[in-house]
Amino acid sequence: MTAPYLALGLAGPHLVELSASRALLSRWDALPVAFSVLGIDRVDGSTPAPVTLASSAVGATLAGATKYGRFFIAAAPQRDHPYNIARRVASLAHLSHGRSGLLIGVRDGYAPEGPRQAPAWGGAGLGGGAPLNAQTAYDAARAVRALEQSWPHSSIIGNRETGILVESNRIVHVDIDSSFSIAGPLNAPEPATGASVIAWYAATAADSPPGSDPIELVIGDGGSIPVVALGKEPPAGGVAGVVLRAGLEHSVDDLLDAAERWLADGFVPVAPGGSLRGALGLSAPAPLPATARAAFPVPRPHVSL
């Protein structure tokens, strides 16, 4: 059986520490791990730490300050409508050149709940809301995937002769009506590297996602990529990878030291650089159906005067 790859899990204080140190960023960037989860404590049921940073904000820092490290940002629809999550996910993929992805959870440990009857994102005061459960999180993941694909990257043609910069008729509505009502499209094009990888957090088998598409990876003891606390022994085998998670009592240096030991002791190194999808050996997701409703008419060439 092939040896597992290694990934890292960072909680709130580690995000503060990592983003403030060029030396740590450089060391993290060169480490041959498959990926890191930024803010795993947002979705794993942990008690919130005294300090943290927004997962996507740290992702933007890492995308601009590093060249090789891959990462998931952690998010849940508890505070943010999936349209807002999708904008962050797509923006990070552009910034990181495909080195980023989304780990979706049911709850965000740092976010307040909305109204009792609709605790997911209803607290934003924008109307609506949804139940705070696995189906809502799964519907959010489906919405993020569809929105990120609603403006295909290949539609950007930049034809100077015709004056057509974008084949705008290929930008489509997503027309979602599940836990969320969305017509779309997203106001940002799909990244050049394609739609971002979407993972799901499952602490136990009972926390598995209600469906498969678009979930491409299940992280946690209920999935194929278990999470092991720093200081514990790695699993004996039978897993594709392992997330080594630092506790609040550990520093980022402690985590990187342990990762280097585990890599030297049999975990498969994953060469730094390249897209997250490529590092995990995942195929590109299917595009949206050809029957999707066009958001704009076919553009016409400009007319010379």
Side-chain angles (χ1 to χ4, degrees):
M1 181 175 292
T2 304
Y5 62 73
L6 183 62
L8 305 178
L10 296 95
H14 309 121
L15 302 184
V16 176
E17 185 183 1
L18 179 63
S19 60
S21 170
R22 290 187 179 274
L24 283 177
L25 280 173
S26 178
R27 189 180 176 195
W28 172 85
D29 199 29
L31 199 63
V33 295
F35 58 82
S36 296
V37 179
L38 307 180
I40 192 170
D41 55 333
R42 284 188 176 273
V43 296
D44 70 357
S46 300
T47 301
V51 295
T52 192
L53 293 172
S55 186
S56 56
V58 176
T61 297
L62 268 57
T66 65
K67 296 181 179 180
Y68 309 111
R70 295 169 293 263
F71 56 88
F72 283 100
I73 62 166
Q78 182 167 342
R79 177 169 52 190
D80 291 313
H81 191 281
Y83 194 96
N84 293 330
I85 297 175
R87 285 192 294 188
R88 294 174 189 169
V89 169
S91 296
L92 283 173
H94 282 287
L95 288 170
S96 69
H97 303 289
R99 292 187 285 135
S100 59
L102 170 67
L103 173 62
I104 196 90
V106 174
R107 293 175 176 269
D108 182 336
Y110 290 89
E113 290 190 8
R116 182 178 299 177
Q117 68 276 14
W121 79 272
L126 301 176
L132 194 58
N133 56 30
Q135 187 62 53
T136 297
Y138 179 66
D139 287 345
R142 293 179 64 194
V144 168
R145 169 58 53 78
L147 285 164
E148 199 174 17
Q149 292 183 304
S150 64
W151 181 347
H153 182 268
S154 60
S155 70
I156 305 171
I157 58 173
N159 190 322
R160 295 185 179 182
E161 293 183 2
T162 64
I164 297 175
L165 303 180
V166 177
E167 294 175 330
S168 51
N169 58 301
R170 296 177 55 199
I171 302 173
V172 300
H173 293 276
V174 296
D175 289 333
I176 292 174
D177 188 14
S178 53
S179 299
F180 310 92
S181 294
I182 303 173
L186 195 64
N187 61 350
E190 181 184 35
T193 49
S196 301
V197 178
I198 298 181
W200 179 275
Y201 186 83
T204 68
D207 301 317
S208 297
S212 55
D213 184 34
I215 306 302
E216 300 172 90
L217 197 69
V218 179
I219 295 174
D221 293 345
S224 59
I225 314 298
V227 177
V228 177
L230 180 57
K232 302 294 184 180
E233 291 297 316
V239 296
V242 173
V243 175
L244 178 62
R245 188 201 189 285
L248 299 184
E249 70 275 18
H250 301 120
S251 67
V252 175
D253 266 325
D254 292 336
L255 180 62
L256 300 184
D257 286 345
E260 289 172 348
R261 291 195 298 271
W262 282 30
L263 287 165
D265 198 31
F267 278 78
V268 173
V270 182
S275 71
L276 178 58
R277 184 171 297 280
L280 296 176
L282 299 172
S283 58
L288 293 180
T291 54
R293 186 166 56 102
F296 303 99
V298 176
R300 296 182 179 182
H302 65 71
V303 178
S304 298
L305 298 178

